[in-house]
Each structure stands twice: as structure tokens, then as C-alpha cells.
Amino acid sequence: MLYHSTNNPSHRVDLKEAILRSLPPDNGLYMPDSLPVLGDDFWKSWRQQSFTETGIAVANAFFGEDVPSQALADIVEGTLTFDAPLVTLAPGDHVLELFHGPTLAFKDFGARFMARLMAWLTRGDDRMLTVLVATSGDTGGAVASAFHNVPGTRVVILYPKGKVSGLQEKQLTALGGNITALEIDGSFDDCQTLVKSAFLDRDLSESLNLTSANSINLARLVPQSFYYIQAARQLPDGVKPVFVVPSGNFGNLTAGLLAVNLGLPVDHFIAATNLNDVVPEFLRTGHYVTRPSMATISNAMDVGAPSNFTRMSALFKGSWESMKANISGISFTDDQTRAAIREVKALYDYEIDPHGAVGWLAARAWRAEHPCSSTVTLETAHPAKFPDVMNEELGPDAVEIPERLAVLADREKVAIQLGTDPAVFHEWLRSM
Ligand SMILES: *Cc1c(COP(=O)(O)O)cnc(C)c1O
């Protein structure tokens, strides 16, 4: 399979380049030349299949021309070491828990698959693959955990000093082994600028065999389509889900669209956002206007220029009408989100995190107008990741901290302190 840039269909690369390079030089996004479809054989028996079997079938549809099926099966099995259970709050009101992975957010699915696929793509190379990633919190933890102890790889994470939560920092700095954390005396933007500067230095980038793990990498998107099928399987036969996706960069929603292309019956999608509502506004008006992001309590969705929008648009061949026919958008304020966290607890004794709460509000609004529909709200993170908001709304210690997060508190933080001077950073990379 070849992959082309959304900006230039004649710029085509193979799988290894699309995954290791992540971004085409023209700043478009890579898309497969033909979109995979799962055949009748799969759809005849899909409801009886396990999560892993579904994952293997989807991975084969995307990557089967380039990666042997045994290798793909190993990659999927290594990725899916935890489940994605569907919880029913009330008839027609379902929540898909995507936080059972090691770092308690859905990003574990994508990061774990990408780490294993990258390791396979570089298996014959005698050079170590160096993954550079800048993080404002969650992505770095998922990437660090995913690559930890993966042979032939090492990860360098840049994070802004004093600007990530205590537990998030431990997720980045306490793993050791092939994971190195750089605590940058600056902002998240400074971290991103440093990462970019390393990629722009051809010589450095070549000699260190640098790659990036950002969220527009196709290898992170494809495994996210697995759990849309897994969710639909857990509904009664014949019920077509309305998927409600709390969105920021719109990778998760794009993965849902890939699942529809594969043949999954879906009633509708809802793009649920906080006040950063560029996409809901586009769906309403047909005008796409990016703007600087605003800080909210669902901070993983604070995105003013969603990086996967180009891909979504490409999937609808640029047609606003057809996107609008398949996706509705709606946004909510922090006050509404806080009220939803309290309400879900009061009604169902369920602790929903601020991102899931935005989704739940969107699902409720949809069901009010479509009473017979079954909504599946993607619960993108475990509420224990957001202790401040949860304690403010539900009282102290309202959310039990899972063991895998709690153990981090006692681990030692190891980070190298650096400033924002690219020359010093490059020097450090060369000497690593
Ligand atoms: C990253 C993230 C999102 C947004 O997902 P996109 O794929 O960027 O739209 C939503 N919720 C949580 C908890 C996240 O970490």
C-alpha cells in the first residue's frame, strides 16, 4: 500500500516512510491510497469475535500488504492487553470506557500499537530509533509507557517545568531504562520548538535516526478504530450506535470514520467539544476558522486548530454537506461540564471525568431529540487523572486512584534540566 499527502496526491511514500516520518514535507497528512474495507467474511461473524480477533482483522486490512500476518497479530496482541468495556448508565445511554490501559487514557491504544509497529518496521536496522516527543501532559506518558523496554528504541520526552501535574510528571520521569525525560525551563510551545529544531537539522535527525510520536501518525489512528467495532459488538443485535466523541485534535473521531469505511454500521457521530468549538461551528455554518486555544477543565481537548481536520475533510471528499449529514457538533462550557459530573454521580453513582462529561451532555441533548437512539459516549480518560475537578464537584477522595497510578507517587523522579537554547539541546542529543 502507498500513502499520499492530503496536500498533494502525487507525493506518495511507502508504509515505513509514512509511519517513521509521520508528517509529509508539505505539511499535509498521510492517507492510504485506498481505504480498507473488511469483507463479508468478517461481517458475517464479527459479533462473535474477540477484541483481539477484531484488531487483527482491522490491522490486516490496513497493513496486511506490508507486514506479515503473524507479525501483525503479535503487534495487536501486545497492544490489547486490556479491555474496552461498555457500561450502560440507563437504557440507550452507554459509556465506552477507554481508560483501562497503563496510563489511564485512550491514547494508550494508539501509542502501544505505534511503538510495536515502529519496532517491526526498523527491525533490520542496526541503528537505534530515537523517538522525540514534546508533551503538555498526557501524550508523553502514553508514549513513554508504550516504548518502555521496546528493543531498538529510545524515547526523549520534553516537558515544561512546573506545568504538568505531579502524577503526570511521574509518568514521564520514573520509568528509566530507554526513556529519558528533559525538564525544560520554558513553556510547552518552547518544548515543541526544540523538537522541531532537531528535526530541521538534517544532519542531527539522520545521525540519531529521529522519529516523532505525535497524534497525526497513522499508526496511532488505526488501532483506535478497533474499539468502535468492539463497542458496537456489546450492544444488542441490530442496534446501530450513535457515537459521541469528546474531541480535541479529532484523531479519535477520524478513527470512527475509518471504522465506518471498514463496514461498521453506525447511526451517527457527534463531535462534542468544550469552548474550543472550531469543528462544531464549521458543521453549523460551513466556515472553518481556527483560533488560539482557550484553557478549560477538559484540557486534553483545548485545541484551536485541530490537526486531524484535514483528514476528516478528505474522508468526505471536501463536502461540508456530506460531513454534516454524518456528524453533528455541539459544545459546552466548564460550568455545564461540572454540573454534568455531579448529575451523573447523583443519577447513576458513576464518576465521569471532565472529557467524558462533555460527551455525556452531547449524548443527552441528542437523545432528547431522537428518543429511540442508543448513544455510546467515549470515556476517554479515568477520572482519577483529574483529582482537582473531581474533588471540587464530588467531595474529597470521591474517586479511587487505581493501583497503577498510585504506585507512581512513591517512585523517584529522574529528569535532566535544560533551557530553551536549541544549540544546547542539540549538543545534549549528540552526546546521548
Ligand atoms: C487526547 C484526548 C482527547 C482528544 O482526543 P482527539 O483524538 O485529539 O480528539 C479527549 N480526551 C482525553 C482524555 C484525551 O487525552
Side-chain angles (χ1 to χ4, degrees):
M1 174 91 79
L2 289 179
Y3 297 83
H4 61 267
S5 166
T6 49
N7 279 352
N8 174 7
S10 63
H11 172 84
R12 294 160 93 212
V13 298
D14 65 8
L15 177 67
K16 185 169 179 177
E17 173 128 8
I19 300 303
L20 294 183
R21 202 186 245 281
S22 195
L23 251 188
D26 61 15
N27 253 326
L29 296 179
Y30 284 121
M31 287 292 271
D33 270 1
S34 68
L35 278 178
V37 175
L38 283 169
D40 290 346
D41 273 359
F42 177 84
W43 293 113
K44 246 185 256 156
S45 63
W46 70 286
R47 299 187 60 87
Q48 281 76 51
Q49 297 208 354
S50 69
F51 196 8
T52 309
E53 286 168 334
T54 297
I56 291 172
V58 174
N60 261 303
F62 276 90
F63 304 124
E65 281 177 29
D66 301 292
V67 186
S69 55
Q70 186 54 52
L72 271 180
D74 292 344
I75 290 168
V76 172
E77 277 162 18
T79 301
L80 299 182
T81 53
F82 47 92
D83 203 4
L86 190 75
V87 174
T88 299
L89 298 179
D93 184 1
H94 311 276
V95 171
L96 183 69
E97 293 185 344
L98 298 175
F99 55 65
H100 292 277
T103 72
L104 307 157
F106 81 89
K107 291 191 173 70
D108 282 328
F109 288 97
R112 290 169 69 79
F113 186 91
M114 177 178 62
R116 286 164 177 78
L117 182 59
M118 281 185 172
W120 187 84
L121 289 169
T122 56
R123 72 209 174 284
D125 302 0
D126 46 7
R127 291 185 311 155
M128 178 82 82
L129 182 69
T130 304
V131 182
L132 265 192
V133 57
T135 186
S136 56
D138 277 346
T139 301
V143 169
S145 160
F147 280 91
H148 192 216
N149 295 333
V150 173
T153 69
R154 61 183 172 184
V155 178
V156 177
I157 304 170
L158 289 79
Y159 73 97
K161 184 185 175 87
K163 296 193 180 71
V164 305
S165 79
L167 277 174
Q168 278 178 334
E169 185 173 39
K170 287 288 173 74
Q171 286 184 321
L172 309 173
T173 60
L175 287 173
N178 61 337
I179 312 296
T180 305
L182 301 183
E183 185 174 10
I184 304 297
D185 198 357
S187 64
F188 169 62
D189 289 337
D190 291 326
C191 295
Q192 265 189 319
T193 306
L194 284 174
V195 166
K196 265 207 182 128
S197 76
F199 282 104
L200 288 174
D201 184 332
R202 288 288 298 247
D203 185 45
L204 181 72
S205 164
E206 278 292 309
S207 67
L208 284 174
N209 204 12
L210 287 184
T211 191
S212 112
N214 55 31
S215 67
I216 52 195
N217 199 302
L218 256 182
R220 281 180 61 171
L221 228 49
V222 169
Q224 288 173 206
S225 63
F226 301 171
Y227 48 68
Y228 283 90
I229 301 175
Q230 174 70 353
R233 252 173 24 89
Q234 296 175 70
L235 290 169
D237 203 357
V239 174
K240 271 205 223 174
V242 174
F243 281 111
V244 184
V245 190
S247 295
N249 271 318
F250 283 82
N252 218 356
L253 204 146
T254 303
L257 300 175
L258 295 179
V260 170
N261 256 290
L262 286 163
L264 179 70
V266 170
D267 184 1
H268 199 65
F269 285 95
I270 302 178
T273 72
N274 57 33
L275 286 184
N276 296 284
D277 63 346
V278 170
V279 172
E281 182 185 86
F282 168 75
L283 290 165
R284 218 171 34 244
T285 65
H287 298 292
Y288 187 68
V289 187
T290 62
R291 38 188 173 255
S293 65
M294 282 179 282
T296 75
I297 58 168
S298 46
N299 60 351
M301 314 196 307
D302 295 348
V303 179
S307 56
N308 274 294
F309 182 76
T310 318
R311 239 180 217 138
M312 274 169 73
S313 182
L315 287 170
F316 291 105
K317 307 199 163 47
S319 159
W320 170 62
E321 281 82 7
S322 75
M323 193 189 288
K324 204 170 63 149
N326 289 278
I327 309 174
S328 300
I330 186 164
S331 72
F332 296 94
T333 66
D334 277 358
D335 284 345
Q336 291 173 307
T337 308
R338 287 178 182 277
I341 292 171
R342 295 194 301 271
E343 206 173 337
V344 170
K345 176 70 181 173
L347 288 172
Y348 311 117
D349 194 24
Y350 187 82
E351 291 110 32
I352 198 159
D353 97 289
H355 304 79
V358 169
W360 182 78
L361 285 165
R364 183 172 64 178
W366 181 264
R367 286 193 315 274
E369 311 228 314
H370 307 82
C372 294
S373 60
S374 277
T375 56
V376 174
T377 301
L378 273 51
E379 171 55 318
T380 48
H382 193 291
K385 289 193 101 166
F386 310 96
D388 293 353
V389 176
M390 299 309 293
N391 291 346
E392 279 159 24
E393 298 315 318
L394 304 182
D397 305 321
V399 179
E400 205 176 314
I401 300 183
E403 183 67 18
R404 57 198 188 287
L405 193 60
V407 294
L408 283 175
D410 303 326
R411 294 253 192 91
E412 197 194 344
K413 161 187 163 182
V414 180
I416 291 161
Q417 316 279 326
L418 280 187
T420 56
D421 181 352
V424 176
F425 172 54
H426 294 191
E427 187 56 39
W428 180 86
L429 279 174
R430 282 203 174 83
S431 68
M432 168 183 183

